[in-house]
């Protein structure tokens, strides 16, 4: 594919919009997520602002979903300390709730506009950002092109390219280069991610580590935690969190294999997508297991086998009920989920072998003894059994995970250092405007 062809393609994309080229943009992803949106604020997805633009410099920060939003909260708070306005966009209702809970009215929250020229142009016409900061792997061709055309600096932070995404972009290397040349800076999570962005044409690229390491542990409502701990009592527990299709059944089967050996065993299952709860409840009950659903307020009683954590925003609650956590999307699905939250909360981490999306994090935890990978259901049952039986080994694993997280911290400082050349002029501009206003 020639460079000229790539630029012709992107020019056509700019004018026709992502609907004409669904394989390039995230338009298809949005179509499949409809129904999970805030209907009252749907106009924001078409670039129609729900708020007035404040006076002075403004930075647009985008974080796609809950994980990315949590990761950028410390970064947002650090930038707010400079006295610069921030409009934070997210793509889901749950990430909007996280933004509200953790940042409140210190920022302006909007839903991210669709990657279509009319929506993006309308959004940019209203907000007129002086700088755009994009988190992780959000590659929005129309948005990148429009920001580039308006000469707005764009910085990708906590940048990550999964194996699948990298292979896909490599097949369209010229298009990737024509897009990534619009980025003023890429701050990558790892050396591997940095090398991938460089090979696709991004310049300059620095490596910071994972911003998620510099976040605080997920919170828990103290009253709810007290109530659940009283109900659980001294029962042995383990959890299967962020599970995907098939892994909940595996967790239930592991429970059935172990509950006679470990009297009173309680298994906590927290699906990644709670909207699957009805089907999961029927499936697990059909296995002859007694189920309590958190969303229904069910009490955990003596013969409860499974606590189904079918709520959003309560991971901190569930993790504080156990010292052993299997992290999903790693056994029956591929890519893995983030193991940092359980490690932060002094939890021994187990996972399947398909953890490509968090390869470096898992490698650090494996090297320190804070995590263990399992091949299948039987190996998972063996690992859970070993950790339940051996308190010393379990506590050593828990301590190793927590220590590894501490050693990995520092991404926030490195990211802020990379952003300094773009933020400092806005700080000066903001202060001058304040002084002139007085």
């Amino acid at each position: 594919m020639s460079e000229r062809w790539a630029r012709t393609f992107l020019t056509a994309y700019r004018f026709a919009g992502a609907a004409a080229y669904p394989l390039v943009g995230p338009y298809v992803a949005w179509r499949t997520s409809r129904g999970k949106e805030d209907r009252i604020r749907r106009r924001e997805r078409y670039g129609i602002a729900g708020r007035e633009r404040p006076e002075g410099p403004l930075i647009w920060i985008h974080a796609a979903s809950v994980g990315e939003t949590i990761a950028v909260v410390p970064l947002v708070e650090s930038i707010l300390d400079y006295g610069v306005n921030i409009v934070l966009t997210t793509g889901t209702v749950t990430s909007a709730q996280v933004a509200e809970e953790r940042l409140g009215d210190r920022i302006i929250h909007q839903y991210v506009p669709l990657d279509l020229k009319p929506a993006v142009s309308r959004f940019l016409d209203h907000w007129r950002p002086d700088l755009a900061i994009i988190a992780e792997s959000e590659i929005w061709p129309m948005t990148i092109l429009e920001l580039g055309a308006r000469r707005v600096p764009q910085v990708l932070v906590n940048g990550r390219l999964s194996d699948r995404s990298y292979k896909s972009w490599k097949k369209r290397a010229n298009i990737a280069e024509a897009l990534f040349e619009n980025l003023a800076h890429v701050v990558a999570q790892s050396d591997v991610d940095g090398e991938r962005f460089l090979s696709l044409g991004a310049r300059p690229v620095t490596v910071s580590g994972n911003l998620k390491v510099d976040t605080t542990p997920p919170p828990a409502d103290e009253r709810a935690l007290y109530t659940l701990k009283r109900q659980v009592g001294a029962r042995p527990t383990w959890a299967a969190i962020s599970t995907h299709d098939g892994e909940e059944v595996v967790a239930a089967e592991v429970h059935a294999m172990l509950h006679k050996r470990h009297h009173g065993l309680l298994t906590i299952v927290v699906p990644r997508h709670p909207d699957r709860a009805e089907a999961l409840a029927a499936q697990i009950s059909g296995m002859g297991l007694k189920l309590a659903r958190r969303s229904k307020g069910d009490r955990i009683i003596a013969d409860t086998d499974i606590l189904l954590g079918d709520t959003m925003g309560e991971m901190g609650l569930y993790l504080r009920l156990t010292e052993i956590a299997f992290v999903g999307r790693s056994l029956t699905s591929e890519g893995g989920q983030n193991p940092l939250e359980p490690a932060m909360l002094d939890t021994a981490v187990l996972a399947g072998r398909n953890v490509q999306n968090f390869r470096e994090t898992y490698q650090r935890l494996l090297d320190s003894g804070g995590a263990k990978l399992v091949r299948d259901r039987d190996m998972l049952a063996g690992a859970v059994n070993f950790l339940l039986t051996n308190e010393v080994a379990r506590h050593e694993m828990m301590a190793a995970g927590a220590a590894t997280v501490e050693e990995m911290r520092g991404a926030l400082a490195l990211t802020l250092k990379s952003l300094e050349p773009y933020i400092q002029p806005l700080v000066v501009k903001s202060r001058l405007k304040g002084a002139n206003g007085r």
Side-chain angles (χ1 to χ4, degrees):
M1 184 187 295
S2 70
E3 183 177 348
R4 181 180 178 184
W5 192 94
R7 295 187 185 282
T8 301
F9 181 94
L10 289 174
T11 300
Y13 181 88
R14 172 180 288 160
F15 288 101
Y21 302 101
L23 293 179
V24 179
Y27 181 66
V28 170
W30 168 75
R31 288 174 61 89
T32 60
S33 69
R34 286 184 298 180
K36 300 178 182 179
E37 297 196 334
D38 187 337
R39 292 179 177 273
I40 297 174
R41 296 174 57 186
R42 183 177 291 176
R43 285 159 57 90
E44 293 173 20
R45 298 306 303 270
Y46 298 94
I48 300 171
R51 300 271 298 275
E52 291 296 318
R53 186 197 190 280
E55 293 294 322
L58 180 140
I59 297 174
W60 172 23
I61 300 180
H62 173 65
S65 57
V66 172
E68 291 83 0
T69 304
I70 292 172
V72 301
V73 165
L75 179 63
V76 170
E77 291 175 328
S78 297
I79 294 174
L80 286 171
D81 288 341
Y82 290 122
V84 180
N85 296 307
I86 292 177
V87 58
L88 173 67
T89 58
T90 64
T92 65
V93 173
T94 49
S95 54
Q97 292 169 347
V98 169
E100 170 63 26
E101 290 168 3
R102 304 205 178 187
L103 296 166
D105 59 5
R106 290 181 290 166
I107 53 98
I108 298 170
H109 177 269
Q110 297 282 278
Y111 285 106
V112 68
L114 298 174
D115 201 40
L116 301 169
K117 182 173 173 56
V120 174
S121 295
R122 201 176 289 123
F123 179 90
L124 295 178
D125 286 345
H126 177 83
W127 293 107
R128 304 187 312 280
D130 297 281
L131 170 66
I133 300 174
I134 306 159
E136 295 215 10
S137 54
E138 288 288 285
I139 308 301
W140 298 72
M142 177 61 64
T143 301
I144 290 174
L145 291 170
E146 288 301 302
L147 284 167
R150 296 170 189 239
R151 301 188 181 280
V152 178
Q154 308 173 60
V155 181
L156 182 67
V157 300
N158 219 35
R160 178 173 66 88
L161 280 173
S162 67
D163 294 349
R164 182 178 299 178
S165 294
Y166 179 61
K167 289 176 184 177
S168 178
W169 281 115
K170 283 294 285 184
K171 292 176 183 177
R172 304 168 180 84
N174 287 341
I175 292 177
E177 186 171 354
L179 273 176
F180 290 165
E181 71 177 9
N182 288 278
L183 299 178
H185 201 125
V186 172
V187 186
Q189 284 189 24
S190 69
D191 291 333
V192 171
D193 293 307
E195 289 168 5
R196 288 177 173 181
F197 280 111
L198 281 170
S199 74
L200 294 173
R203 300 287 189 281
V205 175
T206 56
V207 176
S208 67
N210 192 341
L211 278 176
K212 291 178 180 176
V213 182
D214 284 357
T215 60
T216 56
D221 180 271
E222 290 297 330
R223 183 175 295 180
L225 180 61
Y226 175 77
T227 299
L228 288 179
K229 279 190 170 182
R230 286 195 64 185
Q231 293 176 12
V232 174
R235 296 175 62 176
T237 65
W238 76 285
I241 66 169
S242 300
T243 52
H244 286 242
D245 190 26
E247 291 172 332
E248 297 88 4
V249 170
V250 168
E253 290 174 342
V254 168
H255 177 90
M257 295 165 72
L258 298 180
H259 80 281
K260 290 183 179 178
R261 185 173 301 182
H262 300 279
H263 179 70
L265 178 65
L266 177 70
T267 296
I268 304 161
V269 177
V270 187
R272 176 69 173 173
H273 303 292
D275 55 359
R276 298 171 52 231
E278 289 294 338
L280 290 175
Q283 200 170 20
I284 293 171
S285 297
M287 297 170 66
L289 298 175
K290 179 92 172 184
L291 189 79
R293 290 181 59 178
R294 171 69 180 152
S295 66
K296 304 289 188 183
D298 296 341
R299 284 182 53 82
I300 300 169
I301 56 178
D303 62 348
T304 300
D305 294 297
I306 308 284
L307 169 61
L308 184 60
D310 53 348
T311 56
M312 292 295 296
E314 291 194 310
M315 186 62 77
L317 178 68
Y318 301 123
L319 286 173
R320 285 175 173 85
L321 295 176
T322 189
E323 295 180 341
I324 305 167
F326 164 81
V327 184
R329 199 187 177 189
S330 60
L331 206 57
T332 62
S333 298
E334 292 191 359
Q337 295 288 171
N338 186 4
L340 289 170
E341 289 185 343
M344 285 178 188
L345 287 171
D346 298 317
T347 306
V349 175
L350 303 173
R353 294 181 173 183
N354 303 316
V355 292
Q356 302 90 329
N357 291 352
F358 299 90
R359 182 183 288 114
E360 180 165 316
T361 301
Y362 270 103
Q363 191 59 60
R364 294 285 295 270
L365 288 169
L366 290 168
D367 290 345
S368 71
K372 179 180 176 61
L373 300 186
V374 298
R375 180 179 58 252
D376 52 25
R377 180 200 65 182
D378 291 348
M379 193 172 177
L380 175 60
V384 173
N385 177 60
F386 174 80
L387 291 171
L388 288 172
T389 304
N390 295 274
E391 183 177 358
V392 172
R394 182 171 75 248
H395 285 179
E396 287 177 350
M397 195 169 174
M398 292 158 56
T404 301
V405 171
E406 287 303 313
E407 291 170 5
M408 292 172 67
R409 293 189 186 277
L412 178 60
L414 291 172
T415 300
L416 285 168
K417 184 177 180 181
S418 296
L419 287 170
E420 189 173 346
Y422 309 99
I423 294 176
Q424 279 304 320
L426 304 183
V427 174
V428 172
K429 183 178 176 182
S430 178
R431 288 174 179 169
L432 286 173
K433 183 175 180 61
N436 293 334
R438 290 194 297 269

